[in-house]
Amino acid sequence: MKNLILILFLFLSFILSAQNSVKGKVSAEGAPLPYATVVLVKTQLGTVTDSLGTYNLTNIPKGEYHLKISHTGFKNQQRKIILNDTTTLAFDFDLKADNALDEVVVTGTLKAVNRLESPVPVEVYKPTFFKKNPTANIFEALQNVNGVRPQLNCNVCNTGDIHINGLEGPYTLVLIDGMPIVSGLSTVYGLSGIPNSLLERIEVVKGPASSLYGSEAVGGLINIITKNPKSAPVFAADAFSTSWGEANLDLGFKANLGKVASLLTGVNYFNYSNPIDNNHDNFTDVTLQDRISVFQKLNFNRKNNKLFSMAGRFFYEDRWGGEMQWEKKYRGGSEVYGESIYTKRYEILGSYELPITEKMLFTFSYTDHDQNSVYGNIPYLAQQKIGFGQLTWDKKMSRHDFLFGTALRYQFYNDNTPATPKADKSWIPSLFAQDEIRLSEKHNLLLGMRYDYNNRHGNIFTPRLAHKWKINEKAIFRFNAGTGFRVVNLFTEEHAALTGSRKVEVLEDLQPERSYNANVNFLKKFYTNDGDYIGLETTAWYTYFTNSIIPDYDTDPNKIIYKNLDGHSVTQGVSINLDAVFQNGLKIILGATYMDVAKTENGMKTRQMLTEKFTGTWAISYRLKKLYLDIDYTGNVYGPMRLPTLGDSDPRKDYSPTWSIQNIQFTFNKIKNFEFYAGIKNLLNWTPNKGNPFIIARANDPFDQNVQYNPDGSVMVTPNNPYALTFDPGYVYGPNQGIRSFFGLRYTLK
């Protein structure tokens, strides 16, 4: 009997000793990642990493397996392994943040929720996305976001706005940390002054969001979330230059102020002082700029761990464009044409969570914007001050997740134009409420309502409804419906009149625009056994506008006419986004949007100005691990859009061609903490002047000194003016900057 027991013991010992094991370490961006889940797919074997990020799986029968590593907020990784008798394998994993799907977002509902759990579809873009095509500011960086188009509005001064799904800039609300401080003057002059160095992520909501954010959030909104000092690197530097002579420098560093607070400082400097005239019209192809932006953010450490942060930014820019021989001594005169713009801007914003049991948050901001500009011999001097305060109460009760809030916005605006005989001061108090109801495990319903009072337009109500159906862990269906409104800020629309000969004519007392929107969104995720991932998201939308205020360039080529549309306008379309990550180092982000933006007046439907039928964007990346080299190929394509010509005799094309901007970049990252990158922008060397006799009308006579007029006020045809035109730099729809190379260096100390 003893011999039998001994034989069984020896046999069992042999069996156990023949078992296999797998061990290793899991990290994230080089730092140990505790509590990561480690499993063998389709088995009951698994574990979690310890505080040092290490794991050890033992007693694994021989065979072929897929080892899967996962952690909330990071992309899963899988590896195929083959285990024989008494095999011990070691595998280390470095997880990457899931930039596409598992982000925590706040823009859709004013609550911090996982993007997959939000009933409102929110697109998230992190700095890694924008590094694929480095730019000097966020305005330019948005060119590779599907359905979003940075639109230049002037060939000379290069000011611009942001279009979402074909709607012009005034319909897009741009926020910084949820604060509506980018509007009016800053929408026209300040967008290019937001540096990438302060960026934590950008959240994009397409479609009306007025029930939470009020006026201007009619077409959609862009929320620029700034970095948290606690998670920012100790020091970071990013510098690049282009063959056109552009130079950009981003610096960032953080410091701990004892136990009281942590401080983040960011500095951006951009300079372009190399006049270029490749299209030979004697005008600068790109505006010359000298710009500095300084940003500071303080996060205070409170005993109760409640939020208290303050941030401030100072921005100054000196930009000019015009005739190649222009100098500052000609500023404001009629001898040489130039558009010179001095912009000075202060911003303060903060968040304070009240020291009470209930979750109540007070957010506030104040901006002071001073504009000193001349357009030829026309001065434009303006000041704008915006104050904003908002208090929200986040309350959960049973199946209900409530949000109650009140906000107050003050705006001061004054300029030296006849359109502003006295300073404009307005107050807009608001109340809003939202309830997200958990109907079941798979169904959530969101109901919301906002009330605003405007001293010129009275009471304004904006309701919303959203439904999320979580079909399973890999598929989500969303339906959203609601209304939006926009209180007119005519300065934003009439800026085009400052840079040419067109005069603004307002035919009536303009009433707020109203919109009614519905959209459906479907998200599907696919995973393979090899660890590859494909995400597919598609959205269809329909928005109906009443009281539309659409600038009329057609009735009179010498005027921009404004009135409430006697009819309606509609924007509708469908978009699709594809995000794929493969274990072989290939990453693909593709986007496509088809849209129809039109107005109907007196029974006649016409396509709106500067709205493309379709757009496409892409970012294709491939990593050559052995060479420590990343290759990024990015680009966009835009369909034809109707352009503002100066009448039937204008030889410039009425519609733009289909056009594309494409870029390639190579990044070398073998040296610790350093990245060297270089590439080519605008590979196709495309510019708007191709196929056109000229872009700027009457560039040889910018003060219209040789223009003659008929008795009815129309321009007369003369030998010197065969097309009967006046000076007009407003025929612009894309950047007038051709092919160029760039080289840059990044250093990050974590």
Side-chain angles (χ1 to χ4, degrees):
M1 186 66 180
K2 290 182 179 179
N3 291 335
L4 180 60
I5 293 174
L6 180 61
I7 291 171
L8 290 173
F9 178 77
L10 292 173
F11 180 74
L12 182 60
S13 299
F14 173 77
I15 293 296
L16 291 174
S17 65
Q19 298 291 329
N20 304 279
S21 64
V22 180
K23 63 181 180 178
K25 184 175 182 179
V26 179
S27 59
E29 305 293 341
L33 186 63
Y35 310 115
T37 302
V38 182
V39 297
L40 292 179
V41 179
K42 297 182 179 179
T43 75
Q44 299 297 316
L45 298 174
T47 185
V48 295
T49 58
D50 60 19
S51 60
L52 299 177
T54 61
Y55 70 92
N56 189 12
L57 277 175
T58 59
N59 299 333
I60 308 172
K62 69 178 181 180
E64 183 177 299
Y65 301 93
H66 283 91
L67 181 63
K68 179 180 177 181
I69 314 294
S70 62
H71 192 289
T72 303
F74 295 89
K75 295 179 181 179
N76 298 339
Q77 286 192 21
Q78 286 194 40
R79 182 169 292 177
K80 185 177 180 180
I81 60 175
I82 299 176
L83 298 172
N84 299 313
D85 292 338
T86 65
T87 303
T88 299
L89 300 179
F91 294 108
D92 292 340
F93 295 85
D94 187 35
L95 300 190
K96 305 298 182 184
D98 190 340
N99 298 322
L101 294 171
D102 295 330
E103 287 291 334
V104 173
V105 297
V106 296
T107 305
T109 61
L110 278 179
K111 293 172 177 280
V113 297
N114 186 290
R115 184 193 166 202
L116 293 178
E117 299 302 322
S118 172
V120 178
V122 181
E123 296 179 17
V124 180
Y125 300 90
K126 297 196 74 175
T128 50
F129 175 81
F130 298 112
K131 286 180 181 178
K132 298 176 187 293
N133 176 35
T135 58
N137 55 71
I138 289 174
F139 175 75
E140 295 178 33
L142 291 169
Q143 64 185 278
N144 286 101
V145 175
N146 182 31
V148 177
R149 182 169 67 85
Q151 164 70 40
L152 292 176
N153 294 326
C154 173
N155 270 306
V156 181
C157 62
N158 285 175
T159 55
D161 53 33
I162 297 174
H163 292 203
I164 294 182
N165 286 345
L167 292 174
E168 295 206 14
Y171 295 87
T172 300
L173 178 62
V174 180
L175 309 166
I176 296 181
D177 287 340
M179 299 291 99
I181 60 179
V182 182
S183 65
L185 285 171
S186 56
T187 301
V188 176
Y189 297 106
L191 281 175
S192 61
I194 302 175
N196 292 327
S197 58
L198 61 82
L199 180 64
E200 172 67 25
R201 68 184 185 274
I202 290 180
E203 298 179 4
V204 180
V205 174
K206 298 172 183 175
S210 295
S211 61
L212 274 184
Y213 294 97
S215 181
E216 299 176 51
V218 180
L221 63 93
I222 296 171
N223 193 2
I224 300 165
I225 310 294
T226 61
K227 290 180 179 178
N228 187 327
K230 292 183 179 180
S231 58
V234 174
F235 177 76
D238 187 349
F240 73 85
S241 180
T242 73
S243 57
W244 274 50
E246 298 159 297
N248 185 76
L249 174 64
D250 276 328
L251 296 175
F253 59 88
K254 73 172 183 180
N256 291 320
L257 305 180
K259 297 182 179 181
V260 177
S262 52
L263 171 69
L264 173 68
T265 300
V267 179
N268 171 258
Y269 178 70
F270 177 78
N271 180 270
Y272 172 60
S273 53
N274 180 36
I276 292 178
D277 179 24
N278 285 340
N279 59 13
H280 307 297
D281 61 1
N282 195 41
F283 270 72
T284 53
D285 290 346
V286 177
T287 303
L288 288 85
Q289 302 172 53
D290 193 23
R291 178 174 70 237
I292 188 166
S293 178
V294 180
F295 172 81
Q296 280 201 324
K297 188 173 186 179
L298 273 169
N299 269 28
F300 294 91
N301 302 318
R302 300 172 66 187
K303 292 181 180 180
N304 51 16
N305 290 323
K306 288 184 176 289
L307 175 65
F308 181 26
S309 69
M310 291 278 295
R313 186 170 74 102
F314 171 74
F315 163 67
Y316 179 80
E317 182 182 64
D318 175 0
R319 68 162 58 197
W320 75 268
E323 295 185 273
M324 292 291 288
Q325 65 271 28
W326 188 88
E327 299 177 20
K328 286 195 174 183
K329 64 183 180 181
Y330 298 118
R331 191 176 195 268
S334 302
E335 187 176 350
V336 179
Y337 188 89
E339 298 184 2
S340 172
I341 301 169
Y342 301 150
T343 302
K344 184 168 62 175
R345 179 176 175 82
Y346 302 90
E347 299 168 355
I348 298 173
L349 58 153
S351 299
Y352 180 76
E353 196 172 351
L354 272 59
I356 57 177
T357 305
E358 297 293 337
K359 191 174 182 180
M360 301 186 73
L361 180 67
F362 178 63
T363 54
F364 55 92
S365 65
Y366 175 77
T367 65
D368 190 302
H369 188 115
D370 183 78
Q371 200 67 43
N372 184 324
S373 311
V374 294
Y375 301 89
N377 55 6
I378 301 175
Y380 174 72
L381 308 175
Q383 300 83 38
Q384 179 176 270
K385 307 176 195 296
I386 298 176
F388 178 80
Q390 179 173 275
L391 179 66
T392 58
W393 177 26
D394 187 349
K395 181 69 174 178
K396 292 180 174 61
M397 296 177 60
S398 183
R399 293 176 175 266
H400 298 266
D401 191 349
F402 292 104
L403 180 74
F404 303 100
T406 181
L408 179 64
R409 176 169 173 163
Y410 168 76
Q411 181 163 314
F412 169 92
Y413 175 80
N414 195 19
D415 65 31
N416 66 317
T417 67
T420 310
K422 64 177 183 178
D424 178 48
K425 302 176 184 179
S426 64
W427 294 85
I428 302 180
S430 310
L431 294 171
F432 56 90
Q434 175 181 279
D435 181 14
E436 185 175 351
I437 309 167
R438 188 178 180 86
L439 301 176
S440 67
E441 187 68 26
K442 294 187 176 182
H443 293 273
N444 283 38
L445 178 67
L446 184 143
L447 303 173
M449 169 70 77
R450 182 183 180 103
Y451 164 76
D452 292 83
Y453 178 78
N454 182 273
N455 56 344
R456 287 193 295 269
H457 304 300
N459 303 313
I460 303 174
F461 293 93
T462 46
R464 76 187 305 202
L465 176 149
H467 175 249
K468 186 196 71 171
W469 174 25
K470 189 175 183 179
I471 302 171
N472 53 50
E473 293 298 325
K474 299 179 181 179
I476 295 175
F477 176 85
R478 296 179 176 98
F479 171 77
N480 278 256
T483 66
F485 75 97
R486 184 169 76 93
V487 175
V488 182
N489 181 353
L490 192 57
F491 163 77
T492 303
E493 284 87 348
E494 75 174 4
H495 173 71
L498 295 171
T499 62
S501 59
R502 290 181 184 263
K503 305 298 182 184
V504 170
E505 184 173 309
V506 182
L507 298 185
E508 60 189 15
D509 185 18
L510 299 175
Q511 298 301 309
E513 293 185 70
R514 298 301 302 259
S515 68
Y516 305 87
N517 169 270
N519 67 73
V520 292
N521 172 271
F522 180 70
L523 172 66
K524 177 68 175 177
K525 301 186 292 183
F526 302 89
Y527 296 94
T528 69
N529 290 333
D530 294 327
D532 299 334
Y533 161 79
I534 298 176
L536 193 64
E537 185 173 10
T538 183
T539 302
W541 77 90
Y542 178 89
T543 306
Y544 181 96
F545 292 91
T546 61
N547 281 344
S548 292
I549 304 165
I550 302 171
D552 178 2
Y553 292 86
D554 300 322
T555 301
D556 188 333
N558 297 313
K559 295 179 180 179
I560 306 174
I561 300 173
Y562 289 95
K563 67 180 183 65
N564 286 113
L565 188 69
D566 186 15
H568 66 272
S569 62
V570 169
T571 172
Q572 56 189 329
V574 61
S575 68
I576 186 168
N577 288 317
L578 183 145
D579 184 10
V581 180
F582 302 97
Q583 294 300 308
N584 63 1
L586 179 65
K587 299 180 181 179
I588 299 175
I589 300 174
L590 301 177
T593 299
Y594 175 82
M595 58 191 135
D596 179 23
V597 183
K599 64 177 181 178
T600 301
E601 190 170 25
N602 300 322
M604 182 178 296
K605 179 180 177 180
T606 57
R607 184 171 162 189
Q608 289 189 33
M609 198 80 69
L610 293 170
T611 58
E612 62 276 19
K613 276 281 188 182
F614 63 86
T615 67
T617 58
W618 64 87
I620 301 173
S621 305
Y622 186 71
R623 169 164 290 183
L624 298 170
K625 294 183 180 179
K626 294 183 179 179
L627 299 178
Y628 299 92
L629 185 67
D630 291 331
I631 304 172
D632 296 297
Y633 171 50
T634 59
N636 50 55
V637 60
Y638 299 106
M641 60 187 75
R642 195 162 70 93
L643 303 174
T645 57
L646 295 178
D648 295 336
S649 61
D650 193 333
R652 296 175 294 183
K653 293 182 177 181
D654 291 324
Y655 284 84
S656 68
T658 298
W659 54 282
S660 175
I661 300 291
Q662 302 178 24
N663 321 283
I664 192 166
Q665 175 183 251
F666 302 90
T667 304
F668 180 71
N669 49 28
K670 183 177 182 180
I671 304 174
K672 184 179 180 180
N673 298 334
F674 284 92
E675 283 186 345
F676 301 88
Y677 59 94
I680 299 175
K681 289 179 178 287
N682 197 355
L683 284 164
L684 304 180
N685 196 27
W686 177 89
T687 55
N689 63 297
K690 293 189 175 182
N692 273 306
F694 49 82
I695 294 295
I696 299 177
R698 298 288 295 171
N700 62 322
D701 184 21
F703 295 101
D704 290 335
Q705 294 176 340
N706 297 316
V707 174
Q708 299 182 36
Y709 297 89
N710 293 307
D712 62 357
S714 62
V715 180
M716 182 184 300
V717 174
T718 64
N720 180 263
N721 192 5
Y723 303 118
L725 303 178
T726 55
F727 175 67
D728 173 38
Y731 182 93
V732 59
Y733 56 95
N736 198 30
Q737 191 172 20
I739 189 170
R740 59 206 183 277
S741 60
F742 65 92
F743 174 81
L745 170 66
R746 296 189 187 99
Y747 174 77
T748 305
L749 179 63
K750 296 183 178 180

